[in-house]
Amino acid sequence: MELDDLTLNVLYLAHDMADAAIRRRVLTLKAGGASVTVAGFERGANVLADERDVTTVSLGQTADGRFAQRIGAVLAARMRLKRTLADIAAPDVIIARNLETLALAGRAVSMFSRRIPVVYECLDIHRLLLDEGMKGRLMRQAQRFFGRRASLLITSSPAFVDNFFKPRSGLDLPVLLLENKVLALEPEPVSEPILPRPPEPGKPWRIGWFGAIRCRKSLDMLIDFAARMDGKVEIVLRGRPAYSEFDDFDATVAAAPHVEFHGAYRNPEDLAAIYGDVQFAWAIDFFEEGLNSSWLLPNRLYEGGLYGAVPIALAGTETGRFVGKRGIGLVRNHVTPQTLEALFGEMTEARYVDLFSRLAAVERCQWVTGPAECRALVSRLAALHPNVPSPAEMSAVSTVQS
């Protein structure tokens, strides 16, 4: 057997090829020793377009906030899937990100005439899956139906398992918890210890809200708060706004005093610079308040932790419990423009340095996914397929052949 034949071949069905989290997962799989082909829906610029050795195939266009359109796009993709995937190599494992691509996974398996294991990756619980009416019941039935072929569930927060997958999903799958940690493939991406960075005298505190910007309540609250502080606090926004969730995001932000929006960034390449530009990280999400927003552990929690941005979190949420348990940030029972004004009206350099020091004392492994974790993931996936060796076995064959 040639060494090339031992590589785990992954077909990744992606819900949105403009999502930076898709790129991070693909890079994780590659770093673990897998070969990856991505077939995904498009909602913007393909973040994998410049990645070497990653073949991408478009499944069609979808749009944020247009559920009916997305169902139509999935049905259309299913009808033409045999033609769409005609030129790709038969995979050893298929990973389906979110329910819309899980609906395609069984069809993809049947195309290759093999018992290919399917992995269901779900890092957000859509509000329709939690609906108590007919729509919610139909969504959960669809998830159970399409999930019947799955061999493994990947999710990012234990609260998703406790609050949805175990009691309500109807799925009975082994669970692999992969937190939204920063992908760090170099031995020491942070070359020097990060030092506290209080603002210079007369300069404002800066709070960063980075990543998927989809929470209208957070935006309104931060704009109001910044106006109340009258230049003593600045809000810095970076990432991809979900424009469907706002009346006019660009105009609203442009008109807001002491609020900046700097667009998209590359993850993980730009993280050190953008988090180094702020003292605090907004880790609160009201987008699906009491449901998904209460259960998630967001990317910005880990990114800010690695690069020294003190998290601001809401008590009673999984993020709040994570922060409070470690004593590493500002956790508040109630968050309003008024409570934020009171909190930062009393913020001092000494208080900030104490918060920063607690954050800096956390072990680096809490925040990062390194090469060993990448290999462990690929090994777990390879174990689903009896004919594919683990990366350790691949390494042993490589040693013998050399």
Side-chain angles (χ1 to χ4, degrees):
M1 181 182 290
E2 295 296 325
L3 180 61
D4 287 348
D5 296 333
L6 298 177
T7 301
L8 183 74
N9 187 10
V10 177
L11 172 60
Y12 193 23
L13 301 177
H15 72 301
D16 178 7
M17 288 197 294
D19 188 344
I22 296 296
R23 178 173 180 261
R24 184 177 68 234
R25 182 67 78 232
V26 170
L27 295 180
T28 299
L29 292 166
K30 286 182 61 182
S35 172
V36 186
T37 298
V38 180
F41 292 102
E42 298 181 83
R43 297 187 202 175
N46 181 358
V47 294
L48 295 164
D50 297 328
E51 294 298 327
R52 293 186 304 167
D53 305 322
V54 176
T55 299
T56 61
V57 179
S58 175
L59 296 175
Q61 298 278 339
T62 57
D64 282 329
R66 295 178 58 192
F67 187 66
Q69 186 272 337
R70 286 162 64 180
I71 291 178
V74 170
L75 292 174
R78 186 178 173 87
M79 293 291 292
R80 60 174 181 265
L81 197 62
K82 186 172 183 179
R83 182 171 70 253
T84 302
L85 301 182
D87 296 330
I88 75 165
D92 300 306
V93 176
I94 294 174
I95 301 176
R97 175 68 174 268
N98 288 4
L99 178 56
E100 57 209 272
T101 63
L102 184 64
L104 303 177
R107 175 74 169 165
V109 167
S110 66
M111 285 174 40
F112 296 104
S113 301
R114 300 174 59 185
R115 293 187 60 83
I116 302 169
V118 172
V119 176
Y120 179 29
E121 182 178 34
C122 183
L123 308 188
D124 280 301
I125 312 299
H126 195 281
R127 58 183 174 268
L128 282 177
L129 282 168
L130 300 165
D131 184 85
E132 294 297 339
M134 180 61 71
K135 289 181 181 179
R137 289 195 293 273
L138 289 174
M139 287 287 288
R140 290 189 291 276
Q141 287 175 6
Q143 183 178 245
R144 286 194 294 273
F145 177 78
F146 293 119
R148 74 194 189 281
R149 291 180 175 269
S151 302
L152 181 69
L153 169 68
I154 293 177
T155 193
S156 57
S157 170
F160 289 153
V161 179
D162 295 339
N163 291 285
F164 175 71
F165 285 113
K166 281 186 177 180
R168 302 186 63 186
S169 72
L171 299 173
D172 184 18
L173 296 172
V175 176
L176 178 59
L177 184 66
L178 292 181
E179 296 173 74
N180 290 315
K181 297 182 179 182
V182 178
L183 184 60
L185 300 180
E186 299 298 325
E188 289 293 338
V190 183
S191 57
E192 298 179 359
I194 297 176
L195 299 175
R197 41 188 182 268
E200 297 176 2
K203 298 293 184 179
W205 297 104
R206 288 168 67 83
I207 301 172
W209 180 18
F210 303 150
I213 301 174
R214 59 185 183 178
C215 178
R216 181 172 180 171
K217 183 174 178 178
S218 285
L219 182 63
D220 292 343
M221 185 180 300
L222 291 170
I223 288 174
D224 188 348
F225 163 54
R228 288 169 179 269
M229 295 303 295
D230 193 24
K232 297 182 179 65
V233 171
E234 290 180 347
I235 308 300
V236 184
L237 311 178
R238 298 178 188 268
R240 287 182 63 206
Y243 284 101
S244 61
E245 301 300 325
F246 305 97
D247 292 334
D248 190 335
F249 175 85
D250 292 327
T252 300
V253 172
H258 316 298
V259 178
E260 309 169 2
F261 175 55
H262 296 287
Y265 56 90
R266 284 177 67 82
N267 184 339
E269 291 87 346
D270 297 338
L271 295 180
I274 67 174
Y275 281 95
D277 187 45
V278 299
Q279 289 88 28
F280 297 89
W282 185 253
I284 295 175
D285 186 343
F286 301 102
F287 178 61
E288 291 172 352
E289 197 169 356
L291 301 172
N292 187 72
S293 293
S294 295
W295 304 335
L296 56 75
L297 291 172
N299 297 325
R300 58 183 67 96
L301 175 63
Y302 301 90
E303 296 164 0
L306 180 61
Y307 293 107
V310 176
I312 303 171
L314 181 65
T317 67
E318 191 68 11
T319 301
R321 285 186 285 272
F322 182 102
V323 172
K325 180 180 178 180
R326 292 161 179 79
I328 56 173
L330 297 167
V331 182
R332 290 296 177 268
N333 291 324
H334 302 286
V335 181
T336 66
Q338 293 85 354
T339 60
L340 291 171
E341 181 183 15
L343 177 62
F344 278 86
E346 298 177 352
M347 185 60 63
T348 64
E349 181 174 336
R351 171 68 170 141
Y352 160 70
V353 170
D354 177 63
L355 291 165
F356 177 92
S357 299
R358 291 172 180 267
L359 184 63
V362 176
E363 291 287 339
R364 182 173 172 273
C365 62
Q366 178 66 81
W367 311 122
V368 303
T369 294
E373 290 78 16
C374 297
R375 292 190 294 270
L377 170 59
V378 173
S379 289
R380 182 71 180 85
L381 298 176
L384 299 173
H385 199 301
N387 298 325
V388 179
S390 70
E393 294 170 321
M394 297 177 197
S395 178
V397 172
S398 177
T399 301
V400 170
Q401 289 187 348
S402 63

